[in-house]
Amino acid sequence: MLEVLEAGLLDTIQDRGRPHHRHLGVPEGGAADSWSHAVANLLAGNDPAAAALEMTIVGPRMRALADITVALAGADLGARVEPGNRPLAPGRSVRLRAGDELVAAGRAAGGRGARAYLAVAGGIDVPVVLGSRSTCRAGSFGGVDGRPLRPGDVIHGGEPGGEPVDAWPAEPIAPHIADRDGTVVVRLIAHAGAGAARRVVGRRWTVTPASDRMGLRLDGDATPSEQPEVTSHGVVRGTVQVPPDGRPIVLLADHQPTGGYPVAGVVIAADLPALGQLAPGDGVRFVLVDLVEARAALEAQRAAWAATLDLLRADAAWHDLWRSAGA
Amino acid sequence: MSRSARPRLLPFGDSAVLVVLGEGVDPALNARARRIAAAVEAANRDDPRFGRPVAAYASVLVPVDPIDPGVPRAVEQLERLVEEADASPVGAADDDQQPPIDLPTRYGGPDGPDLDEVASSHGLRPTDVVELHASVVYRVYFLGFAPGFAYLGPLPSELVRPRLASPRPRVPAGSVGIAGEQTAVYPVDSPGGWRLIGRTRVRVWDPTSDPPALLLPGRRVRFVPARD
């Protein structure tokens, strides 16, 4: 159990979201960086889809009310365990003792990424609403009362399932962000008949502070348009909308299921986790790819994930062997 | 002319297909969209590779797994299904199996702070606006914007008003609003830019109910002037 002493910038409980109620106006929700969210859970010995705590830029201060194993993945938000000022780096798990405090004071200068995921052994235990434990702020349900965490909130872990893992044998943050060197390049499938795509590619955009879990709001060399709106239609995470002022909006986890702005294109599935790690001030560039390239990118990513899991299993087998021999 | 346009199936990124029937707010296009969505949903209900379709005014978004089937194969599979669903004439029978949902509504006063403005902008009295608004049997076009938020229409032309220039930071749940050619009920407290003419006590959104939304696509809805 963890008690929130000080809230971070935006701390919400997230799992994989609720994709089956969009037709009722319910955002899909879930972790903005699904990759790092899964890594944190696996480190904690959880199912990768378990509910975890998503922290943004500056995290909370929490006190362990009982001994509990936690794990961290995603951006390095300066997490430390007190007493002892022990750093908790993303890609690690740690056993907290009752009374320990965990604090994530914020991203260091020059750091990568925007969001970190804190997984708790057994997954975070909050009620399931519409098939998910994710926080839905638009409807004020899910997570902890459909809102970000506040001081006084207590997070409970569920029944621990698997064994925690000490360290993730790969980068514990979404691909793309791991090897970024300045501007992040994001791949886009152009939307049919879209002159809108031309207003978005071929230039560098900057993520503005108006960005949130509904979408990234970008600024840069914007081309205003005469076309104010199109007939509202269903949209998905990664949709790049171009409002009349020409400044793109890239939809994220909590986006409304329908939209009436012209669509330039949709970010490919392989690059969606990276979108969740873009912070205000970061640079973004869009390049157009086709469905063949998009598929190849996703298959390569899934292969890399499977290879990491193989490494983990090999480590676990070795760990078991060691313990059975020595214990 | 909307009847003559065949549905177009477009890739929408690598994880969805967008079926487009036309443009604009048109009850006939919307009925076709909802019927196609229902057919696709029924055909793929037990197939985890397809997500639940989302119908809007004149389109249906179908989420698909980006590897299996992937968008190109999904377009092939959906093309015939969509064509068949669209082929038969749209009958009133499809949508009107169930009775209209009546929403007792307190018009004006603190419940409808924009009622007077809507009235005067069209040279009407507030009571005319109430009578007009309550005289129509509306259709739920689709849900969006927020959980349980149903776009209802068609609104009589005498009541059409644009959204507020600046949204209110807080609109109470149950508020009945007008924007463009639509009317709607706010399902939860939220910021809102629609012009508020009344409020209903009926709860249109409850995440613990099944289904959680009261105003489902295709249902008919009436507003009934009430004292409380």
Side-chain angles (χ1 to χ4, degrees):
Chain A
M1 291 196 317
L2 293 166
E3 180 186 359
V4 179
L5 302 178
E6 290 163 29
L9 188 64
L10 182 68
D11 312 311
T12 55
I13 309 296
Q14 302 293 345
D15 59 15
R16 287 240 171 103
R18 38 181 79 82
H20 302 298
H21 298 91
R22 286 183 279 213
H23 65 295
L24 299 182
V26 182
E28 184 182 353
D33 170 7
S34 57
W35 178 283
S36 303
H37 169 265
V39 169
N41 272 317
L42 289 173
L43 283 165
N46 297 339
D47 186 284
L53 176 62
E54 178 180 275
M55 305 183 284
T56 315
I57 311 290
V58 174
R61 172 182 288 273
M62 296 183 291
R63 176 189 296 132
L65 300 181
D67 292 1
I68 191 165
T69 296
V70 298
L72 196 63
D76 188 343
L77 301 185
R80 305 185 320 269
V81 179
E82 296 169 357
N85 204 28
R86 299 164 274 154
L88 175 59
R92 306 301 303 255
S93 66
V94 71
R95 181 83 172 155
L96 299 177
R97 301 287 165 214
D100 282 351
E101 288 185 15
L102 177 71
V103 60
R107 189 171 87 159
R112 307 169 306 196
R115 292 182 170 89
Y117 294 89
L118 185 77
V120 165
I124 293 181
D125 191 9
V126 289
V128 173
V129 183
L130 296 180
S132 165
R133 292 188 166 90
S134 292
T135 307
C136 179
R137 296 181 76 186
S140 298
F141 62 85
V144 175
D145 297 332
R147 58 165 174 79
L149 295 188
R150 298 202 277 246
D153 286 339
V154 176
I155 299 171
H156 299 264
E159 271 307 304
E163 282 290 313
V165 172
D166 285 339
W168 190 252
E171 283 283 357
I173 194 171
H176 250 43
I177 299 295
D179 52 27
R180 68 173 290 186
D181 183 19
T183 300
V184 175
V185 176
V186 173
R187 291 164 288 191
L188 201 63
I189 303 276
H191 188 42
R198 278 196 297 279
R199 293 158 64 202
V200 150
V201 300
R203 65 203 77 182
R204 183 185 182 279
W205 300 99
T206 305
V207 178
T208 73
S211 304
D212 59 16
R213 276 184 48 88
M214 288 181 67
L216 299 169
R217 281 155 176 81
L218 307 180
D219 207 350
D221 179 23
T223 314
S225 150
E226 296 301 309
Q227 184 186 28
E229 282 181 9
V230 298
T231 306
S232 283
H233 57 75
V235 289
V236 297
R237 186 190 303 225
T239 300
V240 180
Q241 300 175 310
V242 193
D245 67 1
R247 297 192 291 179
I249 299 170
V250 185
L251 298 184
L252 296 183
D254 284 351
H255 72 90
Q256 297 169 7
T258 57
Y261 286 137
V263 172
V266 185
V267 174
I268 69 173
D271 290 351
L272 293 179
L275 293 180
Q277 290 294 353
L278 288 168
D282 286 350
V284 185
R285 194 181 286 277
F286 296 104
V287 296
L288 294 180
V289 298
D290 61 24
L291 286 168
V292 173
E293 292 167 279
R295 183 192 194 93
L298 187 59
E299 283 174 335
Q301 208 174 84
R302 288 186 179 180
W305 180 261
T308 307
L309 292 186
D310 283 346
L311 272 179
L312 273 188
R313 274 191 278 274
D315 281 353
W318 176 250
H319 198 60
D320 287 346
L321 196 64
W322 185 259
R323 278 188 310 169
S324 68
Chain B
M1 284 330 278
S2 66
R3 196 64 192 90
S4 64
R6 290 185 64 206
R8 291 182 303 146
L9 277 74
L10 307 172
F12 197 72
D14 63 353
S15 306
V17 175
L18 187 66
V19 183
V20 181
L21 295 167
E23 301 295 319
V25 181
D26 174 356
L29 283 179
N30 181 252
R32 286 169 64 200
R34 284 185 284 102
R35 198 166 48 150
I36 287 169
V40 171
E41 200 262 322
N44 294 324
R45 185 167 292 148
D46 298 322
D47 189 341
R49 304 171 310 146
F50 290 85
R52 178 118 195 195
V54 178
Y57 287 118
S59 63
V60 182
L61 179 86
V62 185
V64 304
D65 184 273
I67 301 289
D68 176 24
V71 162
R73 272 186 32 226
V75 168
E76 282 170 21
Q77 278 183 248
L78 289 169
E79 240 154 14
R80 197 156 53 101
L81 184 56
V82 167
E83 209 173 289
E84 280 171 12
D86 198 38
S88 44
V90 179
D94 288 352
D95 282 333
D96 298 342
Q97 301 274 343
Q98 291 164 294
I101 298 164
D102 284 335
L103 298 177
T105 300
R106 300 183 307 279
Y107 283 95
D111 295 312
D114 299 322
L115 178 64
D116 289 349
E117 186 275 332
V118 170
S120 63
S121 73
H122 284 285
L124 297 169
R125 297 168 304 171
T127 48
D128 299 325
V129 170
V130 172
E131 201 178 303
L132 264 172
H133 188 259
S135 70
V136 175
V137 180
Y138 299 97
R139 181 79 62 187
V140 177
Y141 283 125
F142 67 98
L143 280 73
F145 168 66
F149 189 100
Y151 289 87
L152 307 174
L155 196 65
S157 55
E158 300 95 315
L159 300 183
V160 170
R161 287 292 285 149
R163 280 174 181 70
L164 297 172
S166 301
R168 290 184 168 86
R170 184 183 167 275
V171 171
S175 294
V176 176
I178 284 174
E181 302 162 54
Q182 321 293 303
T183 187
V185 179
Y186 279 87
V188 296
D189 293 351
S190 72
W194 291 42
R195 296 192 196 254
L196 307 179
I197 61 173
R199 191 171 176 196
T200 179
R201 280 198 204 289
V202 175
R203 213 173 155 188
V204 302
W205 173 257
D206 179 358
T208 64
S209 286
D210 185 17
L214 177 68
L215 307 178
L216 297 174
R219 290 299 301 268
R220 292 171 299 160
V221 181
R222 288 189 299 215
F223 294 90
V224 181
R227 297 241 183 258
D228 57 16

